């Protein structure tokens, strides 16, 4: 249906349908509260794929052993629980950004005042579900009636990832076609630790910590890529490497003699025409610089959270933190605020440290109207460490003793004050690396701090 049906000053149209049909079943078995087994199987059909590629089969099996129920551990008083668990299963993904992939898609445009059809998507009838194989193994334990620990190792293999393959130029537009032609793997470890430091009738103090560490590896690159890999946006992707490995121009600081930005250039192999690892010179323009593997990735070494809670004589206090150690973010928002300047644009306060004839020892280029090299985001200059620590929430409350409220017909009365997004610390003040994993224009700054107070009354 046309949005405008008479005057073709602006003509737009859109329609879309999506259907998902699934059948699934699950079986569980428990023997003597010691040995647990589970299995599931499901068949899903998605309208996004062609009829002969529409259905996907996915299954999972799991087992756990409640070792604490064994006779040789029942007499161990300091051990409260011990459970060993493992599972393996498959999943499918049809969230690929297109209503259908098995037929050509068109857009209605306005050309010379008349409605016109433009092909926007080339049919890909062979495309089917992206598939993931997930393996988990771990244990849960508790001891001394105070400490709980959960550790899990995981491997996730993603097969038949959907990739936009550029077709031959002779095939015309659009310039890409979907294919299932890429695999990758994530593997790592997760842990959760909780401990009651103080546990008495009137006072309870708990500390908790959790964390995740993982590595990402591309296990199969698309068949039309060069053997050594390929640049995709700001990343270099190769078999055996991560899907997130920054590939950028190397920032070399500011020329103290004239205030121009500097970038590294490397010598080119005469036979292959490709850059080598032999340094050549420093240049003032990215058009003459060399893209390089930085060895840096947005993936952190460790991330998670920790919290504390205290209850004592009617008072309750809790605080939760989030943290990340390692990783890098391309801070494009900061880069935009460090431009050479134009009417109506704002600047970051760091622009006060720009190069001038009196301030030559600086890493901020000179200000020059519409000078495009001043804030190039495809360089290592704006890679910022992604480590952070944030105080997500703090709550303080007091509950009146029930014996003071019984005669009034009230069973509970609690006064409290709570704060969200209370505090945040990172390399770049205010930058919230949680909002954009790999940087880019979608990155935003920290959420607003909110403080609220209230009364909870129960009759």
């Amino acid at each position: 249906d046309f949005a405008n049906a008479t005057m073709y000053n602006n003509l737009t149209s859109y329609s879309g349908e999506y259907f998902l049909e699934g059948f699934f079943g699950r079986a569980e078995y428990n023997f003597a509260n010691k040995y647990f087994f589970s299995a599931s199987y499901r068949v899903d059909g998605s309208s996004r794929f062609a009829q002969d590629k529409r259905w996907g089969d996915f299954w999972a099996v799991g087992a756990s052993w409640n070792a604490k129920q064994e006779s040789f551990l029942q007499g161990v008083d300091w051990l409260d629980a011990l459970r060993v668990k493992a599972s393996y299963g498959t999943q499918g993904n049809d969230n690929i950004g297109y209503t259908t992939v098995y037929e050509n898609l068109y857009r209605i445009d306005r050309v010379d005042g008349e409605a016109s059809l433009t092909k926007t998507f080339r049919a890909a009838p062979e495309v089917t579900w992206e598939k993931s194989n997930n393996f988990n193994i771990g244990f849960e334990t508790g001891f001394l009636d105070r400490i709980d620990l959960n550790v899990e190792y995981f491997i996730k293999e993603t097969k038949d990832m959907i990739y936009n393959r550029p077709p031959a130029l002779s095939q015309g537009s659009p310039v890409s076609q979907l294919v299932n032609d890429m695999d990758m793997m994530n593997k790592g470890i997760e842990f959760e630790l909780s401990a009651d430091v103080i546990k008495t009738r009137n006072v309870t103090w708990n500390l908790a910590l959790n964390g995740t560490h993982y590595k990402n590896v591309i296990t199969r690159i698309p068949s039309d890529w060069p053997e050594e890999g390929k640049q995709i946006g700001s990343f270099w992707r190769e078999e055996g490497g991560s899907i997130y490995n920054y590939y950028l121009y190397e920032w070399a600081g500011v020329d103290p003699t004239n205030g121009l930005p500097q970038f590294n250039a490397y010598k080119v192999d005469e036979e292959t025409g490709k850059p080598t690892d032999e340094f050549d010179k420093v240049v003032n323009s990215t058009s003459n610089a060399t893209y390089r593997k930085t060895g840096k990735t947005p993936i952190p070494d460790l991330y998670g959270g920790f919290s504390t809670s205290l209850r004592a004589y009617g008072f309750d206090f809790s605080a939760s933190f989030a943290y990340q150690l390692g990783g890098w973010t391309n801070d494009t928002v900061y880069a935009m605020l460090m431009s050479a300047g134009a009417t109506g644009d704002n600047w970051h306060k760091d622009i006060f440290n720009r190069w001038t004839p009196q301030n030559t020892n600086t890493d901020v280029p000179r200000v020059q109207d519409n000078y495009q090299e001043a804030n190039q985001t495809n360089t290592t200059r704006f890679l910022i460490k992604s480590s952070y620590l944030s105080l997500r929430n703090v709550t303080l409350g007091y509950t009146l003793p029930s014996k003071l409220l019984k005669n009034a017909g009230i069973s509970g009365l609690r006064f409290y004050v709570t704060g969200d997004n209370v505090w945040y610390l990172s390399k770049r003040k205010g930058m919230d690396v949680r909002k954009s994993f790999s940087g880019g224009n979608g990155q935003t700054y920290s959420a607003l701090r909110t403080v609220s107070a209230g009364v909870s009354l129960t009759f």
Side-chain angles (χ1 to χ4, degrees):
D1 297 327
F2 292 156
N4 303 324
T6 55
M7 298 295 292
Y8 291 163
N9 292 325
N10 183 28
L11 184 62
T12 59
S13 175
Y14 176 80
S15 64
E17 291 181 331
Y18 170 61
F19 299 94
L20 180 68
E21 183 176 351
F23 303 90
F24 60 91
R26 182 177 65 180
E28 295 181 338
Y29 179 73
N30 169 14
F31 178 74
N33 201 32
K34 298 180 183 179
Y35 312 106
F36 300 82
F37 302 92
S38 65
S40 65
Y41 181 78
R42 65 180 298 141
V43 180
D44 289 322
S46 172
S47 62
R48 289 175 172 155
F49 305 120
Q51 197 164 17
D52 60 336
K53 303 291 183 180
R54 182 161 296 169
W55 293 93
D57 301 289
F58 311 105
W59 55 272
V61 293
S64 65
W65 173 39
N66 189 359
K68 178 59 180 175
Q69 294 298 314
E70 299 288 356
S71 57
F72 59 84
L73 287 179
Q74 289 184 357
V76 182
D77 296 333
W78 58 267
L79 184 65
D80 305 319
L82 178 60
R83 183 185 297 269
V84 181
K85 55 187 178 180
S87 64
Y88 185 86
T90 62
Q91 292 176 306
N93 174 38
D94 71 335
N95 186 19
I96 56 179
Y98 294 93
T99 304
T100 58
V101 299
Y102 56 89
E103 59 185 1
N104 295 323
L105 299 180
Y106 297 86
R107 180 182 68 241
I108 298 176
D109 287 330
R110 174 180 171 271
V111 179
D112 295 330
E114 299 294 334
S116 175
L117 285 178
T118 301
K119 182 185 287 187
T120 60
F121 178 79
R122 187 183 301 275
E126 298 301 315
V127 169
T128 186
W129 294 82
E130 291 184 342
K131 306 174 185 67
S132 295
N133 303 326
N134 304 275
F135 172 73
N136 295 69
I137 187 170
F139 67 89
E140 302 173 9
T141 185
F143 42 93
L144 302 177
D145 195 29
R146 289 175 178 264
I147 302 174
D148 295 307
L149 176 63
N150 184 4
V151 179
E152 195 162 319
Y153 175 77
F154 63 88
I155 300 175
K156 181 178 181 179
E157 294 181 289
T158 304
K159 303 286 188 179
D160 296 329
M161 294 175 63
I162 294 177
Y163 157 66
N164 278 288
R165 173 182 293 168
L169 294 177
S170 59
Q171 296 184 26
S173 64
V175 296
S176 63
Q177 186 175 27
L178 296 185
V179 291
N180 295 100
D181 199 16
M182 190 174 180
D183 300 339
M184 74 174 185
M185 176 190 297
N186 289 333
K187 55 182 178 180
I189 188 170
E190 297 177 319
F191 69 89
E192 298 177 1
L193 176 63
S194 176
D196 291 327
V197 181
I198 300 176
K199 190 176 183 180
T200 65
R201 179 180 177 182
N202 296 316
V203 180
T204 302
W205 180 27
N206 176 268
L207 293 174
L209 170 69
N210 67 76
T212 300
H213 166 78
Y214 76 99
K215 294 292 185 181
N216 170 265
V217 179
I218 298 173
T219 55
R220 176 169 68 102
I221 60 176
S223 56
D224 64 320
W225 283 15
E227 185 177 349
E228 66 273 14
K230 186 176 181 180
Q231 177 188 1
I232 302 294
S234 296
F235 303 102
W236 181 263
R237 292 175 179 167
E238 60 184 338
E239 191 167 319
S242 170
I243 198 171
Y244 292 117
N245 277 338
Y246 281 117
Y247 187 69
L248 304 166
Y249 295 117
E250 289 182 343
W251 171 252
V254 174
D255 189 334
T257 63
N258 55 25
L260 294 176
Q262 299 182 125
F263 312 94
N264 289 334
Y266 289 78
K267 293 184 178 180
V268 175
D269 188 290
E270 294 182 358
E271 294 184 2
T272 64
K274 297 179 180 180
T276 67
D277 291 330
E278 187 177 354
F279 178 78
D280 185 15
K281 57 186 176 181
V282 172
V283 295
N284 295 125
S285 172
T286 53
S287 60
N288 299 319
T290 307
Y291 271 107
R292 299 281 290 170
K293 299 178 186 178
T294 67
K296 297 176 180 178
T297 173
I299 300 176
D301 298 320
L302 181 68
Y303 69 92
F306 58 92
S307 63
T308 182
S309 61
L310 175 66
R311 293 182 178 272
Y313 303 100
F315 289 94
D316 62 273
F317 171 80
S318 65
S320 61
F321 296 79
Y323 70 90
Q324 177 172 302
L325 302 176
W328 297 80
T329 295
N330 192 3
D331 192 356
T332 56
V333 174
Y334 176 74
M336 288 187 292
L337 294 172
M338 295 297 291
S339 68
T343 304
D345 286 354
N346 203 352
W347 268 323
H348 191 279
K349 65 179 182 180
D350 289 353
I351 206 71
F352 288 124
N353 192 36
R354 68 192 183 279
W355 181 95
T356 66
Q358 294 76 33
N359 182 38
T360 59
N361 186 22
T362 178
D363 61 351
V364 180
R366 73 190 190 191
V367 170
Q368 179 179 329
D369 186 39
N370 290 321
Y371 183 56
Q372 299 300 316
E373 298 290 348
N375 63 338
Q376 289 281 3
T377 59
N378 55 349
T379 76
T380 57
R381 176 187 175 190
F382 297 109
L383 285 186
I384 304 297
K385 290 183 179 179
S386 297
S387 299
Y388 74 84
L389 176 64
S390 71
L391 177 54
R392 302 287 301 276
N393 175 270
V394 176
T395 300
L396 177 64
Y398 177 72
T399 303
L400 268 65
S402 57
K403 62 183 179 180
L404 299 179
L405 306 172
K406 183 180 298 185
N407 294 335
I410 299 175
S411 60
L413 179 59
R414 178 175 178 263
F415 302 89
Y416 66 90
V417 59
T418 183
D420 293 307
N421 303 312
V422 178
W423 176 76
Y424 183 89
L425 175 67
S426 65
K427 179 71 173 180
R428 181 87 67 217
K429 184 178 181 181
M431 183 186 71
D432 195 336
V433 298
R434 299 167 296 179
K435 299 297 181 64
S436 177
F437 180 75
S438 59
N441 294 330
Q443 183 177 323
T444 58
Y445 280 69
S446 302
L448 294 176
R449 181 187 298 116
T450 59
V451 179
S452 58
V455 178
S456 178
L457 181 62
T458 305
F459 294 95

